Amino acid sequence: MEGKELEKEGLQLGHELQEAFFWFHRNPELSYEEYQTTEKIREFLTEHGIEIMESKLETGLIAVIRGEREGAVRALRCDIDALPILEESGVPYASEIKGKMHACGHDFHITAGLGCAVLLQQNRKALAGTVKIIFQPAEESARGAEKITETDLIDDVELIWGFHADPTNPVGTIGIREGYVAAAADRFLIKITGKGCHGAHPRIPVLIRSLRLQQWYRRFRQL
């Protein structure tokens, strides 16, 4: 299907997706608590005749669109959890859950994933291969991806597109980059062993440690 035809179908779907976006923003759920969010996603996909893969995931799910032409299996990943933040935006669709907010754009990611699923389903005759839409839970916990990889649902996937809203890009544009784009969350412990200091010069060991940490930081940035 030509780009203009896809755009027209997208506009027709726009109102429905906007309502879904408002719902997700008003009803944020934290990592591993996305039960209502998952049910809303499931309801939307089912209404549009999109297959949902069976799994033991407590939250999150994977939808699949099987093209009628031969091709590889690829996936599109979007996250679904919110943050423990009090919303003070004043928008008419603001969070109705005190102390919880979709402050990182995951409500938009869900909506975009749903829109992609519907458009691919509508055009599966022209689709070469299979596309799996991953609605990943608990991204903010930094462990949600493991919940997906622990299943066998994406073992056949050759390539995954992960996407994220970026306010630095102009509205209506899409930025693409191969490989990693954003930083990953991780933790590490630094243990420094050295001699103590004289009471008259307590700053010296602190200064040495500070300089050493700066060296490590510069080295990591070069990786």
Side-chain angles (χ1 to χ4, degrees):
M1 178 170 286
E2 297 296 329
K4 289 185 178 180
E5 294 176 333
L6 278 173
E7 184 178 358
K8 183 179 179 180
E9 288 191 10
L11 289 173
Q12 293 172 347
L13 182 62
H15 178 72
E16 189 176 355
L17 290 173
Q18 185 181 59
E19 290 301 313
F21 169 77
F22 290 161
W23 188 94
F24 290 122
H25 194 87
R26 286 194 298 264
N27 298 274
E29 295 178 299
L30 303 183
S31 297
Y32 306 112
E33 300 176 1
E34 315 98 325
Y35 294 100
Q36 291 187 58
T37 301
T38 300
E39 188 56 36
K40 185 70 173 180
I41 294 169
R42 184 183 302 276
E43 177 184 307
F44 190 99
L45 294 170
T46 301
E47 288 178 355
H48 287 274
I50 297 169
E51 179 184 347
I52 299 171
M53 304 186 74
E54 292 187 10
S55 75
K56 295 182 179 179
L57 291 169
E58 291 188 19
T59 58
L61 57 82
I62 300 177
V64 59
I65 297 90
R66 306 181 191 278
E68 296 186 10
R69 296 167 55 194
E70 291 187 4
V73 180
R74 295 181 172 86
L76 180 69
R77 171 266 188 193
C78 48
D79 33 27
I80 67 174
D81 54 333
L83 287 164
I85 295 175
L86 177 65
E87 180 164 7
E88 298 178 336
S89 66
V91 297
Y93 53 90
S95 171
E96 297 177 357
I97 313 298
K98 187 176 181 180
K100 299 179 183 180
M101 176 188 178
H102 271 296
C104 197
H106 296 187
D107 47 350
F108 164 73
H109 301 165
I110 301 168
T111 307
L114 292 173
C116 288
V118 172
L119 290 175
L120 288 170
Q121 177 76 359
Q122 291 175 349
N123 295 278
R124 60 188 181 280
K125 287 185 178 181
L127 178 62
T130 297
V131 178
K132 295 182 178 182
I133 312 293
I134 302 169
F135 294 92
Q136 179 198 310
E139 187 270 346
E140 298 295 351
S141 76
R143 303 297 296 271
E146 291 182 0
K147 295 293 184 181
I148 300 296
T149 58
E150 286 171 357
T151 73
D152 60 357
L153 301 183
I154 61 172
D155 290 353
D156 58 347
V157 174
E158 297 183 15
L159 180 149
I160 295 179
W161 289 87
F163 69 89
H164 202 290
D166 186 351
T168 64
N169 286 338
V171 174
T173 63
I174 299 174
I176 299 176
R177 175 177 175 175
E178 184 178 1
Y180 62 86
V181 176
D186 208 342
R187 296 176 177 84
F188 57 89
L189 175 67
I190 297 176
K191 182 178 180 180
I192 300 176
T193 303
K195 296 181 178 180
C197 64
H198 191 280
H201 304 283
R203 68 188 180 278
I204 293 178
V206 176
L207 176 61
I208 292 173
R209 293 171 187 174
S210 175
L211 291 173
R212 188 59 176 163
L213 287 172
Q214 290 179 27
Q215 291 175 349
W216 286 336
Y217 175 72
R218 285 195 293 269
R219 185 175 300 174
F220 282 129
R221 292 211 42 188
Q222 294 172 358
L223 296 177

